[in-house]
C-alpha cells in the first residue's frame, strides 16, 4: 500500500521509477510474504497451529499504563497518562491482545499510519507510491537496505569517514566499502562523479550510503545545494541513495531573537530539506529512528521508500525480526496518535 495525502494529490505526482534492475538477483523476482504463507489472515480468536500462534487468553498483561510529560519543556511538571487495554482498541491504537500477537513485517497499522502522516508533513516525497515500514532502528535498517543492492564481493560507496555500525554491517556481509572524499559539507559531489565515472570494478556500483545531517563521525551537515548536487550525480550514475538520517530533527537553524519551544508548525523547525524531499525518481531509501528523538532502547524506527522496495523490506523483516516489539510500537502509537497528536509531536521536536 502506498500513501499520499489525497487522491487529487496522488494524481498529480509521478510513480517512482522502477530501479529493480539494481537489486541483487535474489530480490529481482517478487516473493510472497513468508508470514502470510504460514499464517494466512489470522484473527484473535483463531488458534493457528501451523504458525505456532498462542491464544491471547494466555497473555498475562491486562493493562499497560505510563505517565508521560507534556511535549514541551516549557511546561515543567505537566504530565498525562497513557494506557493500553487488553481487549479494546485504545483510541487510534490496537488492543494489547493485538499488539502482543504475531504480526507481519510491515509494522502495526496505527504506528505506520502516524508515520505516513508525519513523513508527508516533514518531507512530502515528490512521487505517489511511497510507503513506510517499521524498523528496529537504523543499524538494522542499514543491513537490510544494503542487502537489497549488494551481495558478497560487491562494493558500496560510503563517505570517507563513516558510521562504525554501518561499516561493521558491511564486514559481516562481505561487501566492500568504497570511500568518497568529503569536505565541510560532507560528500564532495565532484569527487563522487569522478569515482563513478572511473570505476573499473568487476561489479557495478549500485548504491551510496550517506548520513547527510550531523554526519557521524564528522558532524558535517549538507546544505540544500549540496544535497541537490549529490542527487544529480546519483541520477547520472543510476545509484540508489541510502539516507541514514537519525539526527535530522536535531538541526540547529539560525538562532531566533526569541525561542518559541511551543511551535507546532514543521516550517518553524528550520530544517534543511531531506534527500527524500528531493527524490523525484524514488531512488532514496530513507532511514529514520526514534533513538535520538524519543529514547534509544525503544528500538523502533521506520523506513521510507517506494512500495515495491517495501515489499522486499517486509520479507527481510519477516525473515529476521518479524517486526519491532508490538508493545513498543503500541506505546509510541498511543503517545503520538492520541496523547500528544501530530502537533504535540512537532512541539516535542522543536523543544529538543
Amino acid at each position: 500500500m502506498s500513501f499520499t495525502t489525497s487522491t487529487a494529490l496522488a494524481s498529480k505526482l509521478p510513480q517512482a521509477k522502477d530501479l529493480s534492475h539494481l537489486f541483487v538477483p535474489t530480490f529481482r523476482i517478487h516473493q510472497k510474504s513468508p508470514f502470510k504463507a504460514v499464517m494466512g489472515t489470522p484473527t484473535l480468536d483463531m488458534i493457528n497451529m501451523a504458525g505456532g500462534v498462542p491464544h491471547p487468553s494466555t497473555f498475562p498483561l491486562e493493562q499497560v499504563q505510563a505517565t508521560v510529560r507534556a511535549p514541551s519543556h516549557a511546561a515543567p511538571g505537566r504530565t498525562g497518562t497513557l494506557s493500553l487495554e487488553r481487549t479494546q482498541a485504545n483510541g487510534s491504537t490496537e488492543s494489547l491482545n493485538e499488539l502482543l500477537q504475531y504480526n507481519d513485517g510491515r509494522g502495526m497499522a496505527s504506528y505506520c499510519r502516524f508515520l505516513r502522516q508525519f513523513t508527508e508533513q516533514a518531507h512530502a516525497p515528490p512521487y505517489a507510491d511511497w510507503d513506510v515500514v517499521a524498523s528496529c532502528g537504523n543499524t538494522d535498517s542499514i543491513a537490510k537496505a544494503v542487502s537489497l543492492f549488494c551481495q558478497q564481493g560487491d562494493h558500496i560507496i560510503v563517505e570517507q569517514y563513516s558510521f562504525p555500525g554501518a561499516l561493521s554491517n558491511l564486514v559481516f556481509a562481505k561487501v566492500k566499502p568504497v570511500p568518497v572524499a568529503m569536505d565541510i559539507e560532507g560528500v564532495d559531489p565532484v569527487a563522487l562523479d569522478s569515482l563513478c565515472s572511473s570505476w573499473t570494478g568487476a561489479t557495478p556500483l549500485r548504491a551510496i550510503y550517506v548520513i547527510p545531517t550531523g554526519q557521524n563521525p564528522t558532524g558535517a551537515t549538507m546544505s540544500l545545494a549540496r544535497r541537490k548536487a549529490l542527487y544529480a550525480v546519483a541520477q547520472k550514475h543510476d545509484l540508489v541513495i541510502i539516507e541514514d538520517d537519525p539526527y535530522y530533527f536535531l538541526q540547529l537553524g539560525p538562532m531566533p531573537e526569541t525561542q518559541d519551544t511551543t511551535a507546532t508548525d514543521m516550517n518553524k523547525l528550520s530544517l534543511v530539506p531531506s534527500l527524500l524531499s528531493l527524490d523525484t525518481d524514488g531512488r532514496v531509501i530513507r532511514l529514520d529512528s526514534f533513538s535520538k528523538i524519543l529514547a534509544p532502547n525503544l528500538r523502533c524506527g521506520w523506513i521510507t521508500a517506494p512500495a515495491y522496495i517495501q515489499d522486499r523490506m517486509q520479507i527481510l523483516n519477516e525473515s529476521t525480526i518479524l517486526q519491532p516489539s508490538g508493545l513498543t510500537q503500541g506505546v509510541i502509537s498511543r503517545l503520538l496518535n492520541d496523547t500528544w497528536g501530530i502537533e504535540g509531536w512537532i512541539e516535542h521536536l522543536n523543544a529538543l
Side-chain angles (χ1 to χ4, degrees):
M1 179 179 67
S2 59
F3 171 81
T4 53
T5 52
S6 69
T7 303
L9 176 59
S11 66
K12 297 178 182 178
L13 292 174
Q15 298 290 302
K17 290 185 176 180
D18 183 356
L19 302 179
S20 60
H21 61 279
L22 298 176
F23 286 151
V24 298
T26 302
F27 291 105
R28 287 178 194 163
I29 300 172
H30 184 73
Q31 302 175 39
K32 294 183 178 179
S33 161
F35 176 87
K36 290 183 178 178
V38 174
M39 300 292 194
T41 306
T43 67
L44 289 177
D45 294 326
M46 181 176 76
I47 299 177
N48 186 326
M49 302 301 290
V53 179
H55 193 272
S57 63
T58 64
F59 303 161
L61 296 183
E62 293 290 339
Q63 182 189 63
V64 172
Q65 192 172 88
T67 301
V68 297
R69 69 183 182 204
S72 173
H73 297 304
R78 185 157 59 94
T79 61
T81 300
L82 174 157
S83 64
L84 297 170
E85 305 294 334
R86 181 184 183 96
T87 59
Q88 64 187 36
N90 301 277
S92 302
T93 304
E94 295 85 353
S95 68
L96 267 178
N97 278 353
E98 294 171 280
L99 294 169
L100 294 173
Q101 189 56 277
Y102 288 123
N103 215 304
D104 68 27
R106 292 276 173 168
M108 299 306 299
S110 64
Y111 177 86
C112 292
R113 185 168 56 247
F114 177 87
L115 293 174
R116 292 186 192 102
Q117 178 189 6
F118 178 59
T119 297
E120 177 61 40
Q121 286 202 22
H123 307 289
Y127 63 93
D129 52 332
W130 61 272
D131 200 5
V132 301
V133 164
S135 75
C136 274
N138 283 14
T139 302
D140 181 58
S141 299
I142 293 164
K144 289 179 171 128
V146 169
S147 72
L148 288 176
F149 303 98
C150 300
Q151 58 189 356
Q152 183 174 333
D154 284 345
H155 297 75
I156 185 171
I157 305 169
V158 301
E159 293 151 311
Q160 181 179 4
Y161 307 100
S162 194
F163 172 45
L167 297 177
S168 294
N169 268 326
L170 300 183
V171 170
F172 288 119
K174 293 183 170 58
V175 173
K176 301 171 184 178
V178 180
V180 62
M182 299 174 65
D183 60 18
I184 195 170
E185 286 193 45
V187 168
D188 179 348
V190 174
L192 177 61
D193 186 26
S194 176
L195 170 67
C196 293
S197 297
S198 61
W199 178 252
T200 57
T203 56
L205 296 170
R206 302 187 189 98
I208 178 171
Y209 166 76
V210 294
I211 309 169
T213 310
Q215 200 269 351
N216 184 348
T218 67
T221 293
M222 294 183 189
S223 65
L224 176 57
R226 176 59 58 89
R227 294 174 197 232
K228 288 180 176 179
L230 170 63
Y231 189 80
V233 175
Q235 287 181 306
K236 176 181 177 181
H237 295 284
D238 200 19
L239 298 174
V240 167
I241 301 172
I242 300 173
E243 181 182 26
D244 181 11
D245 218 2
Y247 305 103
Y248 182 73
F249 297 102
L250 300 180
Q251 295 178 52
L252 294 177
M255 181 63 70
E257 293 183 7
T258 58
Q259 183 70 16
D260 179 9
T261 59
T262 63
T264 58
D265 184 346
M266 285 297 305
N267 293 327
K268 293 183 179 180
L269 295 183
S270 300
L271 304 175
V272 179
S274 64
L275 288 164
L276 175 64
S277 73
L278 307 175
D279 185 21
T280 53
D281 294 348
R283 66 177 63 249
V284 173
I285 299 178
R286 180 176 171 84
L287 314 181
D288 279 285
S289 172
F290 285 111
S291 293
K292 310 297 190 269
I293 50 180
L294 272 183
N297 218 25
L298 289 171
R299 302 317 306 144
C300 268
W302 68 103
I303 302 168
T304 308
Y308 75 93
I309 291 179
Q310 300 293 42
D311 290 341
R312 276 76 174 180
M313 288 293 184
Q314 176 179 351
I315 291 169
L316 285 168
N317 269 351
E318 291 172 0
S319 302
T320 53
I321 62 168
L322 193 53
Q323 66 167 246
S325 163
L327 183 58
T328 304
Q329 289 184 76
V331 170
I332 294 173
S333 170
R334 188 80 164 113
L335 175 67
L336 301 186
N337 276 307
D338 303 313
T339 306
W340 285 356
I342 188 75
E343 291 186 352
W345 172 235
I346 295 171
E347 185 180 343
H348 166 77
L349 294 175
N350 186 56
L352 288 175

